[in-house]
Amino acid sequence: MGINEGFDALQKAVDEDIEKTRLARGRRDLFKEALLTEPDVLETFGSGSLSRSTQLKPIHDVDIVVVYDPDEHPDWGSSGPSAEEALEHIRSQVNRLLSQSKGTHATVVRHTLLRNHAVKCFLDDPDDPEAFTVDVMAALRQPDDSLLIPEQLSARWVPANPEYLIDIVAERQRAWSYFRPLVRLLKQWRLDAPVEGRVKSLVMEVLALQCLPTSGNRSQGLKTFFTAAAVRVNEGVWDPAGLCGEIQPDLDRQGLSDAFAEAADLADQACAAAAEGDTDEALRLWQKIFGEDFPAPAAAPKKTSSLIGAPALITARPIKDAPQG
């Protein structure tokens, strides 16, 4: 097996099945179409990792943004109760259009739950830890094309621009066909990284935008990423649109930096082994980074010397004291 085949096998293990991805997109689009029929809705669009094609399996949730007409909701956008009111408005629309008992557009939603920025709509039993949900977020379009979104806990509206990230990820993918696939590999890698606490998926995606190259093969690309990310993560990981601040303020920066540095060292050794023609060793080193989903041959047992037959006779010599200088 060659290096490319090893990465292909790893990618297959990480990526979601195409039919399940289509199902998730179909569920997302059902919400978009239903809410777009409302008279106070100007537009709907998908956001989140599925819209950027950087999602991991299994797909448990999808995100959509509903842009409302500010003339229909003149109180929205200001601090106070309007943030929670916007979320309640979404919930009432979703229940009327899509509830399992009385939806006029489809009967798919079993339960709705208000979260900080969105309404979580359960299409499966809410007690199922793997229940599929659609997260619906209200927004007001601003003159610079960014959005204001409700934040229930702070009772205010905050700026966001999910379309910016969608666009720059698509641009990087056009420049280098390995970009999105490698983002998914790196998101999977983070799950087993020796870091205190969890590392948010978006942290890895933004670091990938900053540290992955725009050309070359996967081996060199990952080596470049791990080397650069080990330094870059110490600066914190910030919203690339410049609106939402640091993505994960409680991130274990030092732990993640150390994990990146260790992976960079292994990737460097793997690239060197491949350059010397030792493909098997290169595969084993990549497996150390990505785990058993990266196929590699078992290491050959170390050779040990053994004596055959009787040992040679050694002529005894008298032992003399000697100074140990």
Side-chain angles (χ1 to χ4, degrees), residues 216-235:
N217 60 39
R218 287 172 284 190
S219 296
Q220 289 295 331
L222 288 166
K223 172 186 168 183
T224 298
F225 170 84
F226 286 124
T227 302
V231 177
R232 178 63 68 92
V233 72
N234 290 309
E235 303 170 6

Side-chain angles (χ1 to χ4, degrees), residues 186 189-205 207 225-234 236-237 248 250-264:
L186 291 169
W189 172 88
R190 90 189 196 281
L191 298 177
D192 296 316
V195 177
E196 184 176 340
R198 73 186 183 102
V199 178
K200 286 186 176 181
S201 171
L202 188 57
V203 164
M204 298 301 295
E205 191 159 340
L207 285 172
F225 170 84
F226 286 124
T227 302
V231 177
R232 178 63 68 92
V233 72
N234 290 309
V237 183
Q248 187 176 350
D250 65 346
L251 177 66
D252 177 12
R253 295 187 191 179
Q254 187 59 56
L256 187 54
S257 176
D258 291 344
F260 284 147
E262 181 180 356

Side-chain angles (χ1 to χ4, degrees), residues 163-177:
E163 293 162 301
Y164 179 81
L165 188 56
I166 292 171
D167 291 342
I168 59 175
V169 167
E171 183 180 335
R172 288 295 298 275
Q173 178 64 22
R174 288 191 293 270
W176 192 40
S177 62

Side-chain angles (χ1 to χ4, degrees), residues 108-162:
V108 294
V109 176
R110 296 190 181 196
H111 179 68
T112 56
L113 179 66
L114 262 61
R115 304 300 295 270
N116 193 27
H117 294 121
V119 176
K120 184 171 284 292
C121 306
F122 290 82
L123 276 64
D124 298 320
D125 183 350
D127 293 329
D128 182 348
E130 297 188 356
F132 189 94
T133 64
V134 179
D135 293 353
V136 186
M137 183 168 63
L140 297 173
R141 181 75 67 184
Q142 300 301 288
D144 64 356
D145 220 26
S146 66
L147 303 173
L148 279 181
I149 61 173
E151 189 171 79
Q152 182 184 194
L153 294 179
S154 66
R156 62 193 182 99
W157 291 68
V158 296
N161 194 346

